[in-house]
Amino acid sequence: MGAMENWGLVTYREVDLLIDPTKASSNQKQRVCTVVTHELAHQWFGNLVTMAWWDDLWLNEGFASWAENWAADVINPNWCMWDQFTTGHLASAMRLDALRSSHPIQVPIQHAEEVEEVFDAISYCKGGSVVKMIRAVLGMKAFQSGLGAYMKKHAYKNTETYDLWQAWQDSSGMPVQEMMASWTEQMGFPLVTVSEEKWEDDKVTLTLEQEWFLSDGSELSEEDKEKKWCIPILTCTVEGTQQDMIFMREKTATITVPLPSKDGWVKLNAGQDVPMRVKLTSEMIDRLSTGIQSKTLPAVDRAGLLLDGYALVKAGKLSPESLIKLLSNYTDEDDYTVWTGIAGIIGGLDAVLSDDPTMCGYFKPMAKKIVMGLHDKIGWDATESDGHLSTLLRGMMINLLSTFCHDDADVAAEAWRRFALFQENHGDMKSLPSDMRTSVFKIVVKNGGEKEYEAVKAYFDLATDNAERKFVLGSLGHASDPKLKLRTMEWSISGDIKLQDFFYPMGSVS
């Protein structure tokens, strides 16, 4: 928990409110921004208008999760918050909602104490995702006017989900209740598969099928097979998002998309606005390779292809070879959001293969090659042209170095050099910016022994704020020596660390 939206006295954890602008990392600045915008959004969604009972918790948390990104995007448009939403909130929601143990957004709550069970990624992240979807479907004008009418009519009162649907139905003239019931009243989300395709010089006709997507790939029962969603089908080509949109209400649908040229590509779920997985044909992936490599396919969609591909492989619905072929189109990728997807794939594969020495021996060099490619492109040092996302990307790259390339001689030497300069002057933000401190600390403790471990740990007592102390907490457990790992765990419960922070060092032990 980062904060609490009490009306008249919003309370925050120190690290989620106070920052030193000369030291704060880009991640920390973004975190503080979204925590503050989330809590302020609750002054409308939760305080001014309050849900009638806990089974509509999502009216509070789902909206605040959407609004935190909307407000942050307005304040800092160069942060591309909606692109980041895809690899953040949406990805979190879909990881949980792809399990049979998930629950609907609107979940029956018999007793107030049961509500603790639904303060999760479904209420927050899937709730925010369906709000993002309906905004894309209605358009901003109808979305905003309906929301304004809802707030005005129900100010200082209690509401149910139906009241919101009615407000949007009135503002848009669309069957919002019919469309949204399948997204909030049943758990899970659909997999849309392209089962047939007919390519012509100026158009492509696609036959689509929908089914319930489960991350474990388990077989669907006859009852499971009956589940369906009212799915807005949004598409894009090299000319941008297509204006025509259909609703896929049944198990199958056929769509026709105009093409600007005979070798043109088409992407389903344009903008990743709908919380669903998409399985494309090999022909569609081959054609999309042009858009990926030229970056005419927007970053959010390039990331979406990777997230879908990886999820389908884990579910046994796509071959690993197909994912690797798709991944080969990203060799020149330099977008932070897309790299978040790439990092998730190689991180996930690393976890799965770590217990298999033979497969690990094949995978590690490949992962190292991918990461070193990004290293060669952006390097360790900031440039004058760097923006917020460039800084985040460099921080991610160095974190990947600490995982896959810490034993590389040049990487280790650079980390040692920067750490030595940092020890001489802890205020040296040029040699060791906040965005890379945890990663450099990890490389140092992985390659070092007790001396290096104690050198990193000593900064915990010297740091002037809790954000800086977290860099230490997140790195010590990565020491190679099992005795130092044990020492880290003992330290985490010694009383020297705030109770609210003990999980950071615990989580770093691997």
Side-chain angles (χ1 to χ4, degrees):
M1 181 183 293
M4 182 61 206
E5 67 271 15
N6 311 291
W7 205 349
L9 183 62
V10 181
T11 56
Y12 296 87
R13 286 179 59 156
E14 182 181 304
V15 295
D16 289 327
L17 181 65
L18 302 178
I19 60 171
D20 181 339
T22 63
K23 292 183 179 180
S25 67
S26 294
N27 264 318
Q28 187 189 359
K29 292 174 183 176
Q30 183 171 308
R31 165 71 179 174
V32 168
C33 179
T34 54
V35 169
V36 171
T37 53
H38 182 101
E39 302 311 324
L40 294 184
H42 274 309
Q43 307 313 304
W44 288 266
F45 306 109
N47 292 347
L48 180 64
V49 178
T50 307
M51 75 265 183
W53 185 241
W54 293 109
D55 46 9
D56 282 319
L57 172 68
W58 86 277
L59 288 174
N60 285 18
E61 300 302 347
F63 259 100
S65 296
W66 175 84
E68 74 179 58
N69 287 275
W70 177 79
D73 187 62
V74 171
I75 297 167
N76 298 293
N78 63 317
W79 288 8
C80 300
M81 292 301 299
W82 290 121
D83 286 359
Q84 294 191 59
F85 185 94
T86 296
T87 53
H89 284 67
L90 179 60
S92 296
M94 296 179 80
R95 274 194 298 272
L96 180 55
D97 206 29
L99 304 175
R100 285 189 178 271
S101 57
S102 183
H103 63 81
I105 288 178
Q106 291 175 263
V107 58
I109 299 292
Q110 302 301 322
H111 304 285
E113 55 269 21
E114 295 174 10
V115 75
E116 294 293 340
E117 299 174 17
V118 295
F119 274 97
D120 58 12
I122 301 300
S123 296
Y124 283 74
C125 301
K126 188 181 180 183
S129 298
V130 298
V131 174
K132 181 174 184 282
M133 175 180 70
I134 199 167
R135 193 218 64 81
V137 171
L138 300 184
M140 193 60 183
K141 183 178 180 180
F143 176 85
Q144 195 167 18
S145 63
L147 207 52
Y150 168 81
M151 289 290 173
K152 185 176 181 179
K153 179 178 180 179
H154 301 289
Y156 308 104
K157 299 175 185 176
N158 300 96
T159 62
E160 297 178 356
T161 297
Y162 169 81
D163 297 309
L164 181 60
W165 296 162
Q166 189 61 51
W168 274 329
Q169 201 155 294
D170 292 343
S171 68
S172 67
M174 298 179 70
V176 176
Q177 171 68 29
E178 174 199 349
M179 180 181 76
M180 297 305 295
S182 62
W183 293 98
T184 63
E185 295 175 11
Q186 67 176 346
M187 73 178 193
F189 57 86
L191 164 64
V192 172
T193 300
V194 180
S195 58
E196 295 179 20
E197 58 189 335
K198 182 181 179 182
W199 296 88
E200 301 178 56
D201 289 349
D202 61 347
K203 63 184 178 181
V204 59
T205 302
L206 305 173
T207 300
L208 311 178
E209 298 179 356
Q210 65 160 300
E211 64 178 317
W212 183 17
F213 178 80
L214 292 169
S215 59
D216 62 1
S218 58
E219 187 175 349
L220 299 177
S221 67
E222 290 304 313
E223 182 181 356
D224 294 340
K225 291 177 182 178
E226 294 301 312
K227 292 185 70 165
K228 59 185 179 182
W229 287 258
C230 182
I231 308 172
I233 302 297
L234 304 164
T235 62
C236 67
T237 66
V238 70
E239 294 184 331
T241 301
Q242 302 300 296
Q243 296 302 309
D244 293 338
M245 174 185 64
I246 71 161
F247 289 102
M248 184 178 180
R249 293 179 169 87
E250 302 303 326
K251 298 290 286 184
T252 63
T254 300
I255 63 170
T256 300
V257 182
L259 298 174
S261 63
K262 65 178 181 179
D263 57 352
W265 50 263
V266 60
K267 162 75 167 54
L268 297 180
N269 198 15
Q272 298 300 113
D273 282 319
V274 182
M276 68 180 185
R277 296 293 182 204
V278 178
K279 183 180 179 182
L280 304 175
T281 65
S282 57
E283 173 70 16
M284 294 180 76
I285 293 174
D286 287 342
R287 287 171 175 260
L288 278 164
S289 63
T290 303
I292 296 169
Q293 294 171 19
S294 65
K295 300 188 177 74
T296 50
L297 181 67
V300 65
D301 291 299
R302 300 200 302 275
L305 287 173
L306 289 172
L307 296 177
D308 284 350
Y310 184 43
L312 290 169
V313 168
K314 290 192 291 182
K317 295 184 178 295
L318 185 71
S319 69
E321 294 81 5
S322 297
L323 177 61
I324 292 172
K325 182 180 179 181
L326 174 64
L327 195 58
S328 68
N329 292 301
Y330 292 80
T331 53
D332 195 40
E333 188 57 63
D334 57 2
D335 181 88
Y336 169 72
T337 302
V338 182
W339 260 97
T340 302
I342 296 172
I345 292 174
I346 61 177
L349 292 174
D350 182 49
V352 170
L353 300 175
S354 59
D355 292 332
D356 186 333
T358 302
M359 290 300 294
C360 199
Y362 290 118
F363 172 72
K364 289 284 189 181
M366 183 188 78
K368 181 176 181 179
K369 182 178 180 181
I370 293 172
V371 175
M372 290 303 290
L374 180 61
H375 167 270
D376 295 341
K377 183 183 290 289
I378 65 173
W380 287 74
D381 293 309
T383 66
E384 291 184 0
S385 62
D386 278 356
H388 178 74
L389 294 182
S390 299
T391 304
L392 288 177
L393 179 62
R394 183 171 292 104
M396 175 191 289
M397 180 272 292
I398 296 172
N399 183 49
L400 290 170
L401 290 179
S402 73
T403 302
F404 298 104
C405 312
H406 68 274
D407 54 353
D408 180 90
D410 291 338
V411 170
E414 183 64 15
W416 282 111
R417 184 185 74 82
R418 290 174 180 269
F419 183 67
L421 291 171
F422 172 73
Q423 284 187 294
E424 294 174 6
N425 176 14
H426 290 151
D428 184 357
M429 298 300 295
K430 183 177 181 181
S431 298
L432 197 59
S434 297
D435 294 273
M436 63 175 70
R437 287 191 179 178
T438 297
S439 302
V440 168
F441 289 172
K442 283 166 61 176
I443 296 172
V444 168
V445 298
K446 279 186 174 183
N447 289 305
E450 184 170 359
K451 178 183 176 182
E452 291 73 23
Y453 177 92
E454 290 297 336
V456 172
K457 184 170 180 277
Y459 182 57
F460 182 84
D461 294 321
L462 298 172
T464 57
D465 61 62
N466 210 42
E468 290 288 307
R469 296 185 190 100
K470 281 175 61 178
F471 299 142
V472 177
L473 299 177
S475 59
L476 288 178
H478 291 275
S480 301
D481 188 343
K483 293 180 180 178
L484 295 177
K485 291 181 181 292
L486 178 59
R487 190 184 300 180
T488 300
M489 290 191 287
E490 291 173 342
W491 182 52
S492 69
I493 56 174
S494 66
D496 294 338
I497 298 171
K498 289 182 178 180
L499 183 61
Q500 66 186 25
D501 292 332
F502 86 95
F503 62 90
Y504 291 116
M506 281 286 190
S508 73
V509 176
S510 57

